[in-house]
């Protein structure tokens, strides 16, 4: 409440703006779930960005909520985090008077926020799929929304229609539904007079709708590929469409006839487009570059370079002097550009992709995390500040370049991240078969990018599971396609040999703390305990029931005497490693187990779940001790502090939450 009060005062009193600067550093504690003491990372940028009508604030749609930034020159800082959606936020829009912020998410809801207090005022429910686009009418009385985000992949038998809806802001009721698109709707825009609504889609079509009658007045099919943007010029006489066919087309808003075409040759693809609110300019975002065009002359005006990946979203400030851009994939930064000076002004950082693995340093002062981008991060466990980035070079395989393509993006997941026993070196292993050693003791007080001091490249790719022996001599890998369990020399990268035969389809692999055992789970309800030196099986654990597809997770206790594995959807099985006998079968309080971990003191077992929930159990009595819910996506990794008093959870929402255990 104190934060929101300061936020209210901020909007009207200059003195409060000075006071807020003392709170800006504490954004890691904003809007935390019960039981959490800090949040590391701001989550992945999962939607668009939007300037407030006064141009002082920038809203950013992310996997955990909506971040609000002060973007006035020289005063850039975090202002607020709006939490409410149960899944990632995919689209946002300010009302014309700036009093409301609308957000849509993967949870199929639309939420209206008071921009002064940050409180949620309404929740609009009616769509049956993720919300892809939002737009307010010029009078602010109507909100339009559409669904998308791979909606075309929905099986036809489910019968989900690709809807556009109109909502009455006062009542929160849907007043009309438009249907015409057959694939994801990518953009919505009202004409300045509010009488026409334009929509674009991945079906390469653009519709103009009469808002009063709901009839389609114009249908455009001239683009050869997906249309990702539609927007009106300030005077309403022209509307523009941008497409993956590398063109931006300008149309007469009255007749729908084509006026001009801008063909982009210099940006390697059109990924985002925005109309300038004043003047006659269009900004086009491509691969690592944004270009500004004069729409009257079709001449290129200027170029802005700085992002390391595709520019996925562009927003002009209301006065047209500033442009904000978002870098996609592993870039995940927001850059502010001064158009008059034609230069970069500020970069907003700390937005991160999916967390794939976690570990505490031996002294408990640092948390190291791996990400889907292939980069690692070092966080101060006390202050929650990012202290260093372990920057993985472009994923190299032999002399070629490899990036893993998955779900429409390129990734190079870090499969494991761990410290050496003295805490001076971190080892990371990536999906592309690369293993790197990083020096971490130098200059920990300043955020900077580290380069690996040693790298080894395995003659394999598309790794689904990877483990590094405690003595640093052996790497075990499982390929996504062949499911082979292979051992490698960690110093040279040469293959040592295979474990098992072709009938053995491995899914997950983990070393015991002393490295004497390599546990490997397969599809046939068997866990094999191998001696990695002799390559012989020491024990075979025969399970009952079934393994859920893609949900086999294992962990050794810190003394190496117990092995835990997730089984089916709602159980964790404990084994005596010496005898190979089952100790117990723990029934979970919910289904969807994604992770299991022992505390260093052997007293606790932690489990993570698909819905982002974390549960803590007594190892000895199996009593449920505590449950925590805070992530908007599933938990991907868990790590206890060395003293077993704190646990950190990493999630596919791109954040790490730190929980203090009672």
């Amino acid at each position: 409440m104190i934060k929101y009060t300061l936020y209210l005062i901020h909007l009207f009193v200059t003195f409060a703006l000075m006071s807020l600067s003392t709170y800006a550093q504490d954004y890691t504690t904003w809007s935390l779930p019960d039981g959490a003491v800090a949040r590391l990372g701001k989550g992945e940028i999962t939607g668009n960005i939007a300037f407030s009508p006064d141009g002082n604030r920038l809203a950013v749609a992310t996997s955990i909520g909506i971040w609000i930034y002060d973007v006035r020159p020289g005063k850039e800082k975090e202002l607020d985090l709006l939490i409410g959606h149960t899944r990632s936020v995919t689209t946002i829009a300010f009302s014309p008077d700036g009093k409301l912020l609308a957000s849509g998410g993967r949870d199929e809801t639309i939420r209206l926020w008071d921009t002064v207090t940050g409180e949620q005022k309404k929740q609009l429910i009616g769509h049956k799929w993720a919300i892809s686009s939002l737009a307010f009418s010029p009078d602010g009385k109507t909100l339009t929304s559409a669904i998308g985000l791979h909606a075309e992949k929905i099986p036809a038998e489910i019968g989900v229609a690709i809807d556009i809806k109109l909502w009455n802001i006062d009542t929160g009721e849907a007043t009309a539904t438009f249907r015409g698109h057959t694939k994801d709707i990518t953009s919505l825009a009202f004409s300045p007079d509010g009488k026409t609504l334009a929509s674009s889609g991945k079906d390469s079509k653009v519709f103009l709708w009469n808002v009063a009658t709901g009839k389609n007045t114009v249908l455009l099919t001239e683009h050869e590929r997906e249309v990702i943007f539609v927007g009106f010029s300030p005077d309403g006489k022209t509307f523009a469409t941008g497409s993956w066919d590398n063109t931006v087309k300008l149309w007469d808003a009255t007749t729908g006839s084509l006026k001009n075409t801008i063909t982009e040759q210099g940006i390697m693809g059109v990924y985002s487009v925005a109309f300038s609110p004043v003047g006659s300019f269009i900004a086009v975002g491509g691969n690592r570059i944004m270009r500004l065009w004069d729409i009257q002359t079709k001449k290129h005006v200027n170029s802005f370079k700085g992002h390391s990946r595709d520019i996925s979203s562009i927003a002009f400030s209301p006065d047209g002097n500033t442009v904000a851009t978002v870098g996609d994939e592993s870039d995940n930064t927001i850059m502010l550009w001064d158009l008059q000076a034609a230069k970069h002004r500020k970069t907003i950082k700390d937005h991160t992709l999916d967390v794939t693995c976690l570990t505490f340093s031996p002294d408990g002062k640092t948390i190291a995390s791996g990400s889907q981008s292939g980069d690692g991060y070092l966080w101060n466990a006390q202050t929650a500040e990012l202290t260093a980035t372990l920057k993985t070079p472009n994923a190299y395989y032999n002399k070629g370049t490899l990036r893993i393509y998955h779900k429409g993006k390129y990734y190079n997941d870090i499969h494991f991240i761990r410290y050496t026993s003295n805490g001076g070196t971190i080892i990371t292993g990536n999906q592309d078969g690369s293993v790197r050693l990083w020096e971490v003791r130098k200059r920990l007080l300043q955020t900077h990018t580290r380069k690996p001091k040693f790298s080894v490249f395995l003659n394999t790719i598309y790794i689904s599971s990877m483990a590094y022996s405690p003595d640093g001599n052996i790497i075990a890998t499982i390929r996504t396609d062949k499911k082979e369990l292979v051992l490698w020399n960690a110093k040279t990268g040469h293959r040592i040999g295979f474990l098992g035969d072709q009938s053995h389809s491995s899914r997950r692999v983990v070393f015991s703390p002393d490295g004497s055992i390599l546990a490997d789970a397969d599809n046939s309800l068997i866990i094999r305990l191998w001696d990695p030196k002799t390559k012989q099986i020491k024990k075979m654990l025969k399970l009952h029931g079934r393994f859920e597809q893609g949900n086999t997770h294992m962990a050794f206790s810190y003394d190496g005497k117990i092995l835990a594995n997730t089984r089916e959807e709602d159980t964790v099985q404990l084994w005596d490693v010496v005898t190979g006998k089952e100790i117990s079968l723990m029934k979970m309080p919910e289904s969807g187990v994604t992770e299991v971990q022992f505390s260093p003191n052997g007293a606790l077992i932690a489990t993570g779940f698909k819905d982002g929930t974390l549960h803590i159990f007594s190892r000895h009595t199996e009593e449920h001790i505590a449950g925590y819910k805070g992530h908007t996506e599933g938990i991907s990794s868990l790590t206890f502090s060395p003293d077993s008093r704190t646990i950190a959870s990493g999630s596919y929402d791109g954040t790490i939450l730190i929980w203090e255990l009672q």
Side-chain angles (χ1 to χ4, degrees):
M1 190 66 195
I2 293 175
K3 177 165 70 69
Y4 287 133
T5 302
L6 287 172
Y7 190 88
L8 172 61
I9 298 173
H10 148 75
L11 296 174
F12 304 102
V13 185
T14 304
F15 175 76
L17 280 169
M18 299 171 59
S19 301
L20 261 176
S21 64
T22 62
Y23 289 86
Q25 63 186 7
D26 297 328
Y27 71 84
T28 58
T29 64
W30 292 355
S31 304
L32 287 176
D34 292 341
V37 294
R39 178 188 294 105
L40 312 184
K42 298 175 181 175
E44 181 182 359
I45 300 173
T46 51
N48 65 309
I49 52 178
F51 275 96
S52 60
D54 62 8
N56 292 336
R57 290 162 291 160
L58 184 73
V60 182
T62 76
S63 55
I64 63 170
I66 306 156
W67 282 96
I68 308 294
Y69 292 94
D70 187 334
V71 288
R72 293 173 301 165
K75 299 180 179 179
E76 298 89 350
K77 60 178 174 287
E78 299 83 1
L79 287 179
D80 209 349
L81 171 61
L82 308 182
I83 294 291
H85 286 281
T86 57
R87 298 288 303 279
S88 57
V89 180
T90 51
T91 178
I92 52 176
F94 278 99
S95 62
D97 61 8
K99 295 181 179 180
L100 289 177
L101 176 66
S103 62
R106 285 187 178 270
D107 59 4
E108 304 177 5
T109 70
I110 299 164
R111 297 166 194 256
L112 302 180
W113 308 85
D114 187 309
T115 57
V116 175
T117 66
E119 295 178 354
Q120 182 179 306
K121 298 188 68 175
K122 283 188 177 70
Q123 182 172 322
L124 312 181
I125 299 176
H127 286 295
K128 299 299 183 183
W129 203 251
I131 314 301
S132 64
S133 188
L134 295 171
F136 276 96
S137 61
D139 62 9
K141 296 180 179 179
T142 301
L143 178 73
T144 183
S145 62
I147 68 170
L149 301 176
H150 309 295
E152 74 272 16
K153 295 181 180 179
I154 303 172
E157 59 268 19
I158 296 179
V160 176
I162 312 299
D163 288 344
I164 299 172
K165 291 185 182 294
L166 300 183
W167 304 85
N168 183 301
I169 292 300
D170 291 331
T171 65
E173 296 179 352
T175 58
T177 298
F178 304 155
R179 291 175 182 169
H181 288 283
T182 56
K183 293 185 178 181
D184 295 15
I185 296 171
T186 56
S187 181
L188 296 170
F190 277 99
S191 60
D193 62 10
K195 295 180 180 180
T196 302
L197 175 67
S199 63
S200 63
K202 287 189 176 180
D203 55 7
S204 305
K205 297 176 182 178
V206 177
F207 287 85
L208 296 188
W209 308 87
N210 184 303
V211 174
T213 65
K215 293 183 178 180
N216 168 223
T217 58
V218 174
L219 171 60
L220 306 176
T221 59
E222 281 80 355
H223 280 291
E224 297 177 1
R225 295 191 63 189
E226 295 95 324
V227 183
I228 49 90
F229 168 81
V230 62
F232 286 88
S233 61
D235 61 11
K237 295 180 180 180
T238 303
F239 70 94
T241 57
S243 169
W244 284 0
D245 63 11
N246 272 23
T247 66
V248 176
K249 295 182 182 293
L250 304 173
W251 311 82
D252 186 292
T254 302
T255 65
S257 58
L258 182 63
K259 298 169 68 174
N260 283 313
T261 298
I262 296 172
T263 302
E264 269 289 11
Q265 301 290 349
I267 63 172
M268 295 176 64
V270 173
Y271 298 105
S272 53
V273 183
F275 248 121
S276 169
V278 292
S280 56
F281 299 106
I282 276 186
V284 182
N287 179 259
R288 308 186 184 196
I289 185 172
M290 177 187 69
R291 284 158 51 106
L292 201 63
W293 292 83
D294 186 310
I295 62 176
Q296 301 298 328
T297 64
K298 294 194 302 180
K299 290 185 177 180
H300 169 240
V301 178
N302 215 332
S303 295
F304 301 85
K305 298 180 181 179
H307 287 290
S308 62
R309 291 286 186 259
D310 302 337
I311 296 175
S312 61
S313 183
I314 300 175
F316 278 92
S317 62
D319 61 9
N321 293 330
T322 302
V323 170
T325 57
V326 173
D328 200 6
E329 297 180 24
S330 59
D331 181 297
N332 225 10
T333 62
I334 303 158
M335 302 188 82
L336 302 178
W337 307 88
D338 185 321
L339 293 189
Q340 292 183 333
K343 66 179 183 180
H344 169 253
R345 195 183 89 203
K346 185 75 174 180
T347 297
I348 299 172
K349 300 179 180 179
D350 291 358
H351 287 281
T352 52
L353 293 178
D354 297 7
V355 177
T356 56
C357 49
L358 283 177
T359 186
F360 268 93
S361 60
D363 62 9
K365 295 180 179 180
T366 302
I367 295 175
S369 65
S371 75
Q372 204 172 45
S373 67
D375 295 336
Y377 302 92
L378 303 184
W379 309 86
N380 185 304
Q382 277 69 49
T383 66
E385 293 176 334
L386 177 65
T387 60
T389 298
L390 310 181
K391 190 68 178 177
T392 299
N394 284 336
Y396 294 109
Y397 175 61
N398 291 337
K399 294 183 179 180
T401 299
L402 169 73
R403 289 199 298 165
I404 309 299
Y405 188 76
H406 180 59
K407 293 184 178 180
K409 292 185 178 182
Y410 289 97
Y411 299 118
N412 184 23
D413 296 17
I414 293 184
H415 279 308
F416 69 81
I417 187 165
R418 50 160 290 201
Y419 281 85
T420 54
S421 58
N422 64 7
T425 303
I426 283 179
I427 305 102
T428 59
N430 289 65
Q431 187 174 0
D432 66 345
S434 61
V435 178
R436 294 176 174 85
L437 275 65
W438 313 77
E439 181 66 44
V440 296
R441 282 188 166 176
K442 298 179 180 179
R443 296 184 296 164
L444 276 179
L445 296 179
Q446 297 295 325
T447 301
H448 65 286
T449 300
R450 308 274 178 81
K451 294 182 179 180
K453 67 175 184 179
F454 174 77
S455 301
V456 61
F457 300 90
L458 312 180
N459 189 28
T460 187
I461 56 174
Y462 304 112
I463 295 172
S464 61
S465 185
M466 195 176 200
Y468 192 88
S469 65
D471 62 9
N473 292 327
I474 299 175
I475 301 167
T477 64
I478 299 172
R479 278 192 57 154
T480 303
D481 50 357
K482 296 182 179 179
K483 306 293 184 183
E484 297 172 330
L485 177 55
V486 185
L487 299 184
W488 308 83
N489 184 306
K491 309 297 183 183
T492 65
H494 294 157
R495 187 167 57 202
I496 298 173
F498 295 86
L499 296 184
D501 53 39
Q502 292 183 349
S503 64
H504 180 65
S505 183
S506 298
R507 300 178 65 177
R508 187 76 55 158
V509 62
V510 61
F511 276 100
S512 62
D514 64 2
S516 64
I517 298 174
L518 181 65
D520 142 56
D522 71 1
N523 284 342
S524 61
L525 293 175
I526 291 176
I527 294 176
R528 290 171 168 84
L529 304 183
W530 301 86
D531 184 324
K533 293 182 178 180
T534 65
K535 303 184 185 65
Q536 298 299 311
I537 295 175
K538 302 177 73 170
K539 288 285 186 304
M540 292 180 63
L541 312 181
K542 297 183 179 180
L543 314 180
H544 302 285
R546 68 184 188 280
F547 272 141
E548 291 295 327
Q549 183 66 31
N551 189 32
T552 308
H553 303 272
M554 297 182 295
F556 280 95
S557 60
Y558 277 68
D559 60 9
K561 295 180 180 180
I562 301 173
L563 176 69
N565 71 274
T566 60
R567 189 170 70 82
E568 300 183 320
E569 276 282 306
D570 57 0
T571 56
V572 171
Q573 205 162 10
L574 303 181
W575 300 88
D576 185 309
V577 173
V578 176
T579 65
K581 294 182 179 180
E582 180 183 271
I583 298 173
S584 65
L585 185 63
M586 298 175 60
K587 182 73 173 178
M588 295 292 103
E590 58 182 295
S591 63
V593 188
T594 59
E595 183 68 5
V596 60
Q597 197 63 253
F598 287 91
S599 63
N601 63 9
L604 303 173
I605 294 177
T607 53
F609 294 81
K610 290 179 181 178
D611 67 353
T613 302
L614 164 67
H615 289 284
I616 308 295
F617 301 87
S618 167
R619 152 68 190 93
H620 302 293
T621 67
E622 300 181 11
E623 176 188 2
H624 182 260
I625 296 174
Y628 304 100
K629 177 69 170 76
H631 292 291
T632 57
E633 301 291 343
I635 289 179
S636 59
S637 48
L638 296 169
T639 182
F640 281 92
S641 60
D643 62 8
S644 300
R645 295 178 179 178
T646 301
I647 188 169
S649 57
S651 170
Y652 297 113
D653 66 13
T655 66
I656 301 161
L657 287 172
I658 300 177
W659 313 84
E660 283 190 353
L661 304 178
Q662 301 299 321

